[in-house]
């Protein structure tokens, strides 16, 4: 057959179109009886008249979708013809060989931490589980009777407000009125009148325009940082900041420049280096937001920021300051207002200031204070505020009552200010521990939270004169745990710092964290100091200065 006798494929199109026209006419008659079908059919008719080929493709696509939806992708072959036939014996063998994965990791071996029975305070009753005894064993539950009263240097009860009767009575009244939880985020239905009163109390106590409260102290600073600093902004931070600040900086995805811990000349060099880069690349300083981030009292070692120097550099280079007073609010200063009170710097001059109500007020949650714009911005942009349930009302009332107690004049005697004897207690304990040659205390002298680390051992030989050796991290932690156990046996509760070593940005030295409470008397502090000193000397030796 010649090529002229072969019909072109396009020759069939008129016949297909005519067939579709006839079918559409029939379907139009049937579908007109359905409610709302007129609108759909007008669309199909207009589309068909403009482009009949498109109608064909749309119909094919509809059938494909229906077929795909109707075809199950998860149902196996119900006939079982593709199944492996196993005998009863083989099934039993497979079942006996199968070992399920554990739901939880194996329990740590060795001595379990002490259990505090009843409320936490300066003199709690504590039970010390014996090796191999689990307090969570449902078959042989551990008895919570007995135990012994200890002097507490482990809990962050600096102001002695944990267990305070006035605070407790207010919390009980609030519990009876509002119940336990807030049952929702602040921006939805979790805000109570006591939350708003607490924010006003915090703003008035710190003499700032506004305050905002968070349900968790850790999420406060880790949410505040990324709510203001974004990709392309610049953060200059102390390398010794705590883990929460590290996470906040990481989440912000900002450009980060670090300076060595406590090196304020290094801070100025970093700021000057950024200024030179701006000139070199023609970059405007106002094109991005820029922040200096530091702590009041550093959680990792207890040292204190040189706030006047930081404020000087902040103003000189035109940066905003984010100051975390998680371990200084409620602990230092004559009335517990933090390092701003120590250095006589108005709190309002700090652009963004955060703190912990769990540490400073013996309650729970955190807060951020600043200008009206700073606070308003967080209400819709801070993830820790927007997506978390509000703090329980009873904790808000407890915090407000604690602030009222801290607002008592320092010279008052009836009632006395909660921090009236805290500086004396700190000095008494430091005078006992500072002379020990085998330890180092890198913390500020006035800080009621301080760290004790093992001093590196000097070693001299003809090849390495003056060489200093330091035991491994595991060895240091083992020795410090021996100190903790020795103190517990003698009625003093201290704790070893637990760290997430895999995620810490800087590997800090293992240490004991000592928390001095104003609720302890001078004699009790002297007794606790003598026990702690004996444990350190017994475990580490006297050492040499």
């Amino acid at each position: 057959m010649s090529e002229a006798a072969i019909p072109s494929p396009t020759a069939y199109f008129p016949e297909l179109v005519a067939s579709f026209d006839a079918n559409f006419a029939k379907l139009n008659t049937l579908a007109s009886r359905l409610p709302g079908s007129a609108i759909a059919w007008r669309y199909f008719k207009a589309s068909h008249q403009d482009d009949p080929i498109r109608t064909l493709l749309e119909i094919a696509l509809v059938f494909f979708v229906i077929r795909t939806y109707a075809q199950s992708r998860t149902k196996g072959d119900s006939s079982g013809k593709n199944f492996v036939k196993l005998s009863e014996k083989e099934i039993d063998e497979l079942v006996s060989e199968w070992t399920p994965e554990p739901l939880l990791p194996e329990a740590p071996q060795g001595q379990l931490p002490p259990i505090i029975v009843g409320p936490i305070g300066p003199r709690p009753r504590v039970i010390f589980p014996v090796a191999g005894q689990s307090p969570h064993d449902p078959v042989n539950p551990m008895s919570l009777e007995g135990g012994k009263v200890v002097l507490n240097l482990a809990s962050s009860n600096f102001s002695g407000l944990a267990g305070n009767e006035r605070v407790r009575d207010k919390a009980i009244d609030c519990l009876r009125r509002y119940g336990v939880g807030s049952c929702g985020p602040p921006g939805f239905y979790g805000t109570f009148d006591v939350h708003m009163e607490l924010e006003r109390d915090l703003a008035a106590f710190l003499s700032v325009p506004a305050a905002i409260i968070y349900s968790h102290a850790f999420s406060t600073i880790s949410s505040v940082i990324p709510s203001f600093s974004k990709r392309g902004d610049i953060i200059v931070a102390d390398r010794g900041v705590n883990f929460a600040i590290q996470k906040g900086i990481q989440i912000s995805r900002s450009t980060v420049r670090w300076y060595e811990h406590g090196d304020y000349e290094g801070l100025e060099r970093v700021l000057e280096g950024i200024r030179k880069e701006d000139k070199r690349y023609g970059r405007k300083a106002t094109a991005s937001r820029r922040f200096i981030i530091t702590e009041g009292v550093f959680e990792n070692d207890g040292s204190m920021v040189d706030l006047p120097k930081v404020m000087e550099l902040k103003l000189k280079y035109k940066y905003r300051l984010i100051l975390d007073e998680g371990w200084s609010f409620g602990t230092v200063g004559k009335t517990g207002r933090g390092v701003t009170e120590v250095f006589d710097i108005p709190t309002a001059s700090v652009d963004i200031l955060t703190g912990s109500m769990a540490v400073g007020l013996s309650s729970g949650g955190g807060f951020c204070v600043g200008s009206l714009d700073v606070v308003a911005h967080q209400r819709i942009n801070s993830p820790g505020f927007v997506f978390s349930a509000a703090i329980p009302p009873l904790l808000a009332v407890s915090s407000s009552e604690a602030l009222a107690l801290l607002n008592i004049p320092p010279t008052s005697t009836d009632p006395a200010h909660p921090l009236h004897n805290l500086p004396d207690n700190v000095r008494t304990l430091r005078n006992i521990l500072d002379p020990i040659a085998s330890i180092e205390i890198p913390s500020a002298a006035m800080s009621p939270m301080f760290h004790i680390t093992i001093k590196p051992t000097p070693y001299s030989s003809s090849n390495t004169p003056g060489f200093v050796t330091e035991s491994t991290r595991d060895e240091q932690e083992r020795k410090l745990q021996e100190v903790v156990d020795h103190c517990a046996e003698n009625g003093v509760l201290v704790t070893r710092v637990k760290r997430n070593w895999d995620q810490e940005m800087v590997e800090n030295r293992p240490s004991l964290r000592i928390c001095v409470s104003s609720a302890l008397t001078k004699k009790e502090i002297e007794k606790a100091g003598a026990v702690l000193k004996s444990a350190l000397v017994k475990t580490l030796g006297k050492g040499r200065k």
Side-chain angles (χ1 to χ4, degrees):
M1 182 179 292
S2 64
E3 293 183 1
I6 299 175
S8 173
T10 57
Y12 295 105
F13 284 168
E15 297 179 6
L16 290 173
V17 171
S19 175
F20 276 118
D21 287 339
N23 291 330
F24 269 119
K26 294 180 181 179
L27 290 174
N28 189 21
T29 303
L30 294 174
S32 61
R33 302 172 185 175
L34 299 175
S37 60
I39 298 175
W41 278 111
R42 278 200 300 270
Y43 165 76
F44 284 119
K45 288 173 65 177
S47 174
H48 173 65
Q49 291 174 357
D50 295 338
D51 189 359
I53 304 300
R54 174 184 169 187
T55 304
L56 178 64
L57 294 176
E58 287 181 347
I59 293 175
L61 181 61
V62 168
F63 279 107
F64 175 77
V65 171
I66 294 173
R67 179 180 177 276
T68 303
Y69 181 79
Q71 184 179 11
S72 174
R73 293 176 178 236
T74 58
K75 186 171 66 176
D77 186 2
S78 58
S79 64
K81 61 183 180 180
N82 295 323
F83 293 175
V84 177
K85 303 295 183 181
L86 297 175
S87 64
E88 291 294 331
K89 181 179 180 181
E90 290 173 327
I91 294 175
D92 293 339
E93 290 177 351
L94 289 174
V95 171
S96 61
E97 293 174 358
W98 178 68
T99 303
E101 294 184 2
L103 296 176
L104 297 173
E106 294 184 3
Q109 301 296 321
Q111 184 72 31
L112 292 172
I115 300 172
I116 296 178
V117 181
I120 297 177
R123 307 166 193 86
R125 184 166 65 89
V126 177
I127 294 176
F128 298 94
V130 299
Q133 185 181 23
S134 173
H136 308 292
D137 189 350
V139 178
N140 298 310
M142 189 179 70
S143 173
L144 298 180
E145 300 297 328
K148 64 179 179 180
V149 177
V150 298
L151 300 177
N152 190 356
L153 296 182
S155 301
S156 55
N157 182 27
F158 303 105
S159 57
L161 294 175
N164 180 278
E165 292 185 2
R166 181 171 158 182
V167 175
R168 182 188 61 193
D169 292 342
K170 288 284 186 178
I172 292 175
D173 292 341
C174 180
L175 178 63
R176 289 171 176 165
R177 181 180 180 184
Y178 294 99
V180 178
S182 58
C183 302
F188 192 28
Y189 53 84
T191 298
F192 290 70
D193 55 347
V194 293
H195 295 133
M196 301 172 69
E197 291 172 4
L198 174 57
E199 290 180 346
R200 288 194 291 268
D201 292 341
L202 283 165
F205 183 73
L206 294 172
S207 301
V208 291
I212 183 173
I213 57 174
Y214 287 75
S215 56
H216 194 272
F218 185 95
S219 64
T220 301
I221 185 64
S222 61
S223 297
V224 168
I225 293 172
S227 70
F228 288 99
S229 186
K230 310 291 184 181
R231 187 190 297 274
D233 296 333
I234 297 176
I235 290 175
V236 179
D238 190 300
R239 195 175 290 276
V241 293
N242 61 48
F243 190 64
I245 295 179
Q246 295 175 29
K247 292 293 104 177
I249 293 175
Q250 180 181 358
I251 294 170
S252 73
R253 299 179 295 177
S254 304
T255 301
V256 186
R257 303 292 175 85
W258 300 96
Y259 64 94
E260 293 304 317
H261 178 44
D263 181 7
Y264 300 103
E265 293 181 357
L267 168 60
E268 186 167 13
R269 286 195 297 270
V270 171
L271 298 176
E272 186 62 33
I274 295 174
R275 173 186 282 182
K276 292 179 179 179
E277 289 179 4
D278 292 340
K279 293 181 180 179
R280 184 183 307 124
Y281 300 113
R283 186 172 59 192
K284 292 184 178 181
T286 57
S288 62
R289 292 177 289 263
R290 302 185 176 192
F291 301 90
I292 298 174
I293 300 179
T294 186
E295 291 184 74
V297 171
F298 286 84
E299 179 181 349
N300 287 332
D301 64 1
S303 61
M304 185 178 293
V305 67
D306 186 352
L307 189 58
K309 182 63 176 179
V310 174
M311 293 295 296
E312 175 191 338
L313 296 176
K314 153 189 145 55
L315 296 174
K316 177 180 178 180
Y317 291 93
K318 296 180 174 57
Y319 276 64
R320 295 181 177 93
L321 174 61
I322 299 179
L323 177 64
D324 180 23
E325 293 221 53
W327 286 88
S328 52
F329 173 77
T331 64
V332 297
K334 291 183 179 180
T335 60
R337 285 172 167 82
V339 294
T340 54
E341 184 177 32
V342 171
F343 293 105
D344 195 22
I345 294 176
T347 307
S349 63
V350 177
D351 301 282
I352 303 171
L353 186 145
T354 64
S356 168
M357 295 184 292
V359 172
L361 304 179
S362 299
S363 177
F367 67 88
C368 179
V369 299
S371 66
L372 294 173
D373 291 336
V374 164
V375 169
H377 177 79
Q378 295 176 62
R379 297 195 188 279
I380 56 174
N381 288 280
S382 182
F385 180 84
V386 174
F387 299 109
S388 297
I391 185 176
L394 67 93
L395 292 181
V397 169
S398 300
S399 297
S400 289
E401 194 61 27
L403 286 172
L405 292 171
L406 290 176
N407 218 18
I408 296 174
T411 57
S412 174
T413 57
D414 189 19
H417 193 278
L419 302 177
H420 75 284
N421 65 332
L422 183 59
D424 289 338
N425 285 353
V426 173
R427 280 193 295 269
T428 299
L429 189 56
R430 288 293 297 265
N431 288 337
I432 295 173
L433 299 177
D434 284 343
I436 302 176
S438 57
I439 65 170
E440 291 180 344
I441 301 179
S443 310
M446 70 171 63
S447 174
M449 183 276 290
F450 59 88
H451 289 248
I452 298 176
T453 61
I454 300 176
K455 188 175 183 179
T457 304
Y459 170 79
S460 298
S461 68
S462 58
N463 297 326
T464 56
F467 181 71
V468 176
T469 62
E470 188 168 13
S471 55
T472 64
R473 186 175 72 198
D474 292 339
E475 291 175 349
Q476 294 181 59
E477 290 187 332
R478 178 183 57 79
K479 291 179 180 179
L480 292 175
Q481 187 60 46
E482 290 179 7
V483 175
V484 171
D485 296 339
H486 184 275
C487 290
E489 293 173 359
N490 291 274
V492 177
L493 193 64
V494 298
T495 184
R496 176 173 57 84
V497 177
K498 313 297 192 303
R499 302 185 189 276
N500 190 341
W501 297 106
D502 294 334
Q503 295 192 31
E504 287 280 356
M505 184 187 66
V506 177
E507 184 170 342
N508 297 282
R509 294 166 63 186
S511 63
L512 300 178
R513 178 186 292 158
I514 306 299
C515 297
V516 184
S517 175
S518 65
L520 294 173
T521 65
K522 185 175 182 179
K523 288 186 177 181
E524 289 173 327
I525 290 292
E526 290 174 346
K527 176 185 175 182
V531 171
L532 182 54
K533 178 178 179 180
S534 173
L536 289 168
V537 172
K538 179 181 178 181
T539 305
L540 307 178
K542 294 183 178 181
R544 292 184 301 176
K545 281 291 185 184

